Amino acid sequence: MTLKIYVPRDAAAVACGADEVAEAFAAHATKRKLDIEIVRNGSRGLLWLEPMIEVATAEGRIAYGPVTVDDVPSLLDAAVGNGKHALRHGVAEEISWLKNQTRLTFSRCGVIDPRSLDDYRAHDGYKGLERAVRLGSDGILADVKTSGLRGRGGAGFPTAIKWTTVAQTKDDQKYIVCNADEGDSGTFADRMIMEGDPFLVIEGMTIAGVAVGATRGYIYIRSEYPHAVEALKAAISAARKGGYLGKGICKSKFDFDMEVRVGAGAYVCGEETSLLESLEGKRGLVRAKPPLPAHKGLFGKPTVINNVLSFAAIPFILDNGAQKYADFGMGRSRGTMPIQLAGNIKHGGLYEVAFGVTLGELVDQIGGGTASGRPVRAVQVGGPLGAYFPKELFDTPFDYEAFAKRDGLIGHGGIVVFDDTVDMAKQARFAMEFCAIESCGKCTPCRIGSTRGVETIDKIKAGVQGAKNLTLLEDLCNTMKFGSLCALGGFTPYPVLSAMKHFPEDFGAAPPRLQAAE
Ligand SMILES: Cc1cc2nc3c(=O)[nH]c(=O)nc-3n(C[C@H](O)[C@H](O)[C@H](O)COP(=O)(O)O)c2cc1C
Ligand code: SF4
């Protein structure tokens, strides 16, 4: 009987040696004349165990990790023997870290072969689209509205409103654009799903096309993601061959096709209008709004632009029922969020869970605290424009409104953990410096303000007129917050002000105006 071994092809696993492990399995099996099949799956998201391999058995898929090339001979012994091994974690789905998740979007990631359309279909793939073409525009829009889905790219804008606006805008050509720029620090969910379940993103975009009357789609992906580019290109071509892209998709009256475009590499190219400029072949400069992309987007045509995870949530909603999705979550944050645990954390990785879990549960219980073993001092949630939260705010539930109430944002769901050795004034300086480097330069508060911000923090750190410069820094932050054209300049103050508010001791003095309790 053929022995089936799963070795992830996910970039994180590959970075930890998965390709070499796969080669070693093939070589040792040949030497031993063992009949094996190696499936290169996506990652399950337990990054501290990568490369985590799985061996198919009658009991289920048994996980072992982290595996090195040297472990391969003994793992083969275990696979053909009683399965016992020091690296054994038991049936993958039963590992508590995986079992306790609510995987609606990532249900197939790490399970299927991302290059196989048949495997995707065997795991309920394309059922959402098949229903969508039967429902047509109004039915899809109603489902997306019922689901309560909000954009997972950062702003949390209701997806149904965006799609309905494009559907109602009359034009001879409309576009679907997938924002796969994923520039936020500590985030990798887009990459993981594109590598591990690329058909899902394609299916979500195709459903969007049917909903709004668009026939063409683009995936704008950062150049640092070559594995995802390869996975998407392979999946697009397989979907086309299978009749899921092109003319008359799923034997319906709808046409839809798409292509991948690789970005030039700038954080601001993730901002939707800047992305559209870049997609049109121009410099990534932010456009003034209005007009909204929904009215005049790519090449001046009505355009739906959504994050990878927003599109990836759609097939579940169409296939399993919008209400089933909406039943998860809290308040106006419905469904699940694929949370990415990163930085100085013991158990980093992808953890999909319903909204409402607290920050403390995520960092201390699920993440297991810091990798260094030192106390957690701060976490930055939502990428480089997100606020720093101290332990005192660990009771904040993962919910758009709860974070906003505490001057934070959940953004794309990235959590970066720092231990007690972190210098928060240095982190504040980094936020300003990042903005100065990445600013598109269109508006003054961001272009000039960020550089002045770096200089002012340097003065504070050097002990030059501390109190006066702290007040100046706060004023500067407010000017950037309220005067910037887009969220790069407008949100850079959040990490700066939160660091000043929660960690005043790192700035040499407690800034008086920020001392007021929440
Ligand atoms: C500076 C900046 C960078 C951004 N980067 C990304 C990104 O990498 N990926 C993303 O999906 N959205 C990013 N956004 C948000 C997009 O502008 C936009 O809100 C999003 O693509 C809309 O999709 P959604 O409604 O599905 O979230 C960024 C915004 C700003 C201001
Ligand atoms: S805030 Fe910064 S990135 Fe945004 S438009 Fe202004 S200069 Fe450009």
Side-chain angles (χ1 to χ4, degrees):
M1 207 178 78
T2 307
L3 183 65
K4 211 171 187 178
I5 301 176
Y6 294 81
V7 184
R9 65 189 317 154
D10 177 275
V14 169
C16 298
D19 283 349
E20 291 78 7
V21 166
E23 281 163 25
F25 271 115
H28 282 281
T30 309
K31 214 157 51 184
R32 293 191 195 185
K33 297 194 171 48
L34 276 177
D35 179 16
I36 69 163
E37 180 192 350
I38 297 172
V39 179
R40 302 301 304 271
N41 56 334
S43 170
R44 298 262 197 177
L46 295 77
L47 296 185
W48 72 99
L49 293 182
E50 292 294 4
M52 185 178 97
I53 68 131
E54 291 167 42
V55 178
T57 73
E59 270 179 85
R61 281 161 60 167
I62 307 295
Y64 301 87
V67 173
T68 66
V69 167
D70 294 341
D71 299 316
V72 169
S74 58
L75 281 167
L76 275 176
D77 291 341
V80 294
N82 62 6
K84 283 201 181 131
H85 196 281
L87 298 178
R88 181 185 163 114
H89 301 284
V91 176
E93 276 93 2
E94 295 299 318
I95 300 174
S96 63
W97 213 81
L98 263 177
K99 201 177 175 180
N100 294 332
Q101 297 187 38
T102 304
R103 288 204 161 200
L104 307 187
T105 298
F106 277 75
S107 62
R108 267 177 298 252
C109 192
V111 176
I112 61 163
D113 174 356
R115 295 290 187 277
S116 168
L117 177 61
D118 288 342
D119 210 4
Y120 182 65
R121 294 195 51 205
H123 289 82
D124 293 335
Y126 275 120
K127 283 197 175 155
L129 179 64
E130 280 156 13
R131 181 162 168 267
V133 296
R134 289 197 300 274
L135 279 181
S137 175
D138 289 349
I140 301 171
L141 294 174
D143 267 11
V144 176
K145 188 172 176 200
T146 305
S147 75
L149 179 67
R150 291 166 73 176
R152 303 291 190 240
F157 188 78
T159 306
I161 296 181
K162 195 182 279 188
W163 288 21
T164 306
T165 308
V166 177
Q168 288 171 351
T169 306
K170 301 239 175 307
D171 213 312
D172 55 350
Q173 179 69 58
K174 300 180 189 179
Y175 294 108
I176 306 296
V177 174
C178 176
N179 188 341
D181 200 52
E182 196 163 56
D184 282 0
S185 40
T187 64
F188 43 84
D190 292 354
R191 180 188 61 66
M192 266 185 67
I193 203 76
M194 289 187 289
E195 290 181 8
D197 196 3
F199 292 104
L200 180 70
V201 182
I202 295 166
E203 184 181 352
M205 288 176 69
T206 310
I207 294 170
V210 175
V212 306
T215 53
R216 184 120 210 110
Y218 293 92
I219 304 177
Y220 182 93
I221 184 168
R222 61 186 297 133
S223 60
E224 294 90 338
Y225 282 178
H227 300 83
V229 170
E230 194 192 319
L232 286 167
K233 284 186 173 169
I236 287 172
S237 125
R240 211 175 273 137
K241 265 194 209 134
Y244 292 101
L245 284 175
K247 288 218 166 296
I249 49 167
C250 288
K251 300 191 179 71
S252 74
K253 60 178 180 181
F254 299 103
D255 304 334
F256 189 77
D257 213 333
M258 65 170 76
E259 63 187 270
V260 175
R261 287 288 174 91
V262 179
Y267 182 68
V268 78
C269 282
E271 192 282 332
E272 57 186 13
T273 61
S274 179
L275 185 154
L276 295 176
E277 288 284 297
S278 176
L279 203 48
E280 290 179 10
K282 300 178 209 149
R283 192 180 129 204
L285 203 62
V286 173
R287 294 178 185 170
K289 287 190 259 188
L292 295 170
H295 292 130
K296 276 184 193 298
L298 186 62
F299 304 116
K301 299 291 181 185
T303 302
V304 164
I305 174 160
N306 274 127
N307 174 249
V308 171
L309 298 180
S310 311
F311 286 122
I314 294 291
F316 176 91
I317 292 165
L318 266 294
D319 180 26
N320 295 277
Q323 193 53 50
K324 193 160 174 195
Y325 189 82
D327 284 345
F328 293 101
M330 70 173 276
R332 289 177 49 226
S333 306
R334 308 313 314 170
T336 58
M337 186 73 197
I339 290 164
Q340 300 125 86
L341 299 170
N344 188 346
I345 191 155
K346 196 170 168 198
H347 294 154
L350 188 291
Y351 199 92
E352 183 176 351
V353 65
F355 284 99
V357 59
T358 67
L359 189 53
E361 284 172 80
L362 287 164
V363 175
D364 294 331
Q365 289 163 32
I366 295 160
T370 62
S372 62
R374 300 183 65 92
V376 174
R377 182 157 188 242
V379 294
Q380 189 178 27
V381 184
L385 310 176
Y388 285 100
F389 275 18
K391 287 276 279 186
E392 295 73 58
L393 297 184
F394 271 22
D395 60 345
T396 315
F398 227 78
D399 161 70
Y400 292 102
E401 280 66 42
F403 265 75
K405 219 189 270 173
R406 292 180 160 183
D407 286 332
L409 63 130
I410 64 173
H412 186 47
I415 298 180
V416 180
V417 179
F418 299 83
D419 73 12
D420 61 351
T421 60
V422 66
D423 175 348
M424 294 307 295
K426 210 166 152 189
Q427 293 305 118
R429 185 191 190 279
F430 173 72
M432 284 291 188
E433 189 189 18
F434 179 81
C435 182
I437 293 168
E438 298 293 339
S439 168
C440 84
K442 187 154 176 165
C443 67
T444 314
C446 168
R447 187 184 69 245
I448 308 284
S450 51
T451 299
R452 293 292 94 88
V454 171
E455 293 164 0
T456 310
I457 297 172
D458 280 344
K459 283 185 194 153
I460 294 165
K461 279 164 68 78
V464 180
Q465 294 184 309
K468 194 176 148 215
N469 277 312
L470 279 166
T471 306
L472 191 65
L473 183 60
E474 196 192 336
D475 282 348
L476 175 64
C477 282
N478 283 326
T479 304
M480 290 174 71
K481 222 167 152 179
F482 301 110
S484 296
L485 184 59
C486 87
L488 179 47
F491 276 73
T492 292
Y494 283 80
V496 178
L497 291 170
S498 59
M500 289 164 74
K501 178 178 177 180
H502 301 302
F503 307 94
E505 60 278 20
D506 288 17
F507 292 81
R513 275 202 273 163
L514 292 164
Q515 278 304 287
E518 278 185 81

